[in-house]
Amino acid sequence: MTREIIISLDAMGGDYAPQIVIEGASIARERLLDVKFIIFGDETKIAPLVTKYPLLKENCEIRHTDKTVSAEAKPGQALRRGRTSSMGLAIQSVKDGEAIAAVSAGNTGALMAMGKFMLKTMPGIDRPAMTSLLPTSRGESIMLDLGANVECSEENLVQFAIMGAAFARTVLGLSKPSVALLNVGVEELKGNEVIKNADRMLRDANLPMNYTGFTEGHGLANGYVDVVVTDGFTGNVALKTAEGTARMIAGMLKDALEDSIFSKIGYLFAKPALMGLKNHLDPNNHNGAVFLGLNGLVIKSHGSASAPGFASAIGVAADMAAHDLLGKISEDLKLFESHPEDESDEEKADAAALSVAGEEIKDKVI
């Protein structure tokens, strides 16, 4: 990083706030020397924690509010009552230009609702999408939407693809990331009309991505594509299924290794490899879901994240700010809009045939 980056933190959101938030900010500050923080929350609880970390204390400002958004609050309630809460004020600081990004481990629905209401969506984006990094057998991939939009149009999916590719270029450092639509098969005839129309639009677009067509569910784990695009309903189910499967396998492996003296001895030899696998699958190492498509950066940390996990979410925010993610998305949207898809010869022939048929019917009616 070459310039100072100011990030606002909702210190009161999450299962273990504010302790984990402050400790995570301290870890992030040690890694990211150009980052400073505006911390929103109860100063009587935050200040004593901050004093434990001299480097953080020198590079943060605490702004007091005793209002919080509860984990049970509905999005509508958060909009009506939460604008002066620690979450609401963190987002407001982004809108006002004081901070480049806001990070919160609080209520996901409330964070999305307030982010969309206060920051609005970018020109060319109809709906924001939630995206995150997922561990794969080849490293990391990006998936969106993860639950913000249960139903999507083909235009929404195309916009998600554009934003996901820009995110991949920013966070993963890929010049031309591969992008695929999640579907029930890889053949062009598979899927509903929405996904088939989105496929056609992406094939015809001239964008800085390598659009590869469809991928199936197993493509999420093998990492063959860098960005997987789907609607929020499917994405949320796929994400939670993958997380549950990973926990099940980890538990079964643990039980197997503790089953006998021989398995315990075998564990001693396999421990380095198993620890590496554990670190790769640890959600804290991939923490930081991003609400893409807003006029500002909003990052959602896991509510149960550890301090290193919250630091990872801050790191995602800093990467996106330093590499101008919003600028990349805006440029790609303009590029897509400036190259409208041309009708194929077949489509033109169909349109002409319909026109002729219409004239024949008109003549008969008259």
Side-chain angles (χ1 to χ4, degrees), residues 10-183:
D10 169 16
M12 311 310 293
D15 298 346
Y16 309 110
Q19 292 88 348
I20 291 302
V21 173
I22 302 306
E23 186 179 345
S26 175
I27 295 172
R29 185 60 184 79
E30 292 176 356
R31 298 173 182 170
L32 309 167
L33 299 181
D34 295 312
V35 170
K36 293 187 177 181
F37 302 103
I38 305 174
I39 304 175
F40 294 90
D42 189 337
E43 188 171 9
T44 62
K45 297 179 180 179
I46 296 170
L49 295 171
V50 170
T51 57
K52 297 178 181 179
Y53 308 102
L55 184 61
L56 175 63
K57 185 177 180 180
E58 294 174 4
N59 293 279
C60 77
E61 174 189 351
I62 301 172
R63 295 190 185 176
H64 175 74
T65 176
D66 56 5
K67 295 183 179 180
T68 61
V69 175
S70 71
E72 296 78 25
K74 296 181 179 179
Q77 294 175 325
L79 282 176
R80 289 192 298 271
R81 308 170 188 171
R83 297 184 203 176
T84 57
S85 66
S86 56
M87 179 186 290
L89 292 175
I91 297 173
Q92 184 66 42
S93 69
V94 175
K95 180 181 179 181
D96 294 341
E98 292 184 292
I100 193 66
V103 182
S104 174
N107 183 317
T108 302
L111 187 65
M112 169 59 89
M114 284 199 283
K116 186 175 181 180
F117 179 82
M118 298 168 74
L119 299 176
K120 311 302 181 185
T121 55
M122 299 176 65
I125 297 296
D126 298 322
R127 299 180 183 180
M130 185 185 295
T131 186
S132 185
L133 294 170
L134 302 178
T136 73
S137 59
R138 295 190 172 193
E140 291 179 318
S141 291
I142 291 165
M143 184 173 175
L144 70 166
D145 180 25
L146 297 179
N149 305 281
V150 174
E151 295 182 356
C152 295
S153 66
E154 52 260 38
E155 289 82 7
N156 296 146
L157 295 179
V158 171
Q159 292 167 12
F160 295 170
I162 292 171
M163 294 191 294
F167 185 79
R169 299 206 313 274
T170 300
V171 176
L172 299 181
L174 303 172
S175 60
K176 197 170 184 180
S178 57
V179 178
L181 293 168
L182 186 62
N183 199 3

Side-chain angles (χ1 to χ4, degrees), residues 154-163 165 179-182 194-214 227-230 336 339 341:
E154 52 260 38
E155 289 82 7
N156 296 146
L157 295 179
V158 171
Q159 292 167 12
F160 295 170
I162 292 171
M163 294 191 294
V179 178
L181 293 168
L182 186 62
V194 169
I195 199 167
K196 286 190 285 188
N197 288 337
D199 172 65
R200 177 177 54 82
M201 294 168 70
L202 286 168
R203 288 184 186 278
D204 293 339
N206 179 24
L207 291 166
M209 68 172 75
N210 176 26
Y211 177 66
T212 62
F214 298 140
V227 181
V228 178
V229 178
T230 187
F336 177 72
H339 292 82
E341 54 185 335

Side-chain angles (χ1 to χ4, degrees), residues 285-313:
N285 295 331
H286 310 277
N287 190 33
V290 184
F291 294 134
L292 292 178
L294 299 175
N295 285 308
L297 299 173
V298 178
I299 292 83
K300 172 66 173 72
S301 165
H302 287 299
S304 60
S306 64
F310 195 84
S312 295

Side-chain angles (χ1 to χ4, degrees), residues 180-196:
L181 293 168
L182 186 62
N183 199 3
V184 295
V186 297
E187 299 85 359
E188 290 187 18
L189 295 176
K190 293 290 183 69
N192 57 33
E193 289 305 311
V194 169
I195 199 167
K196 286 190 285 188

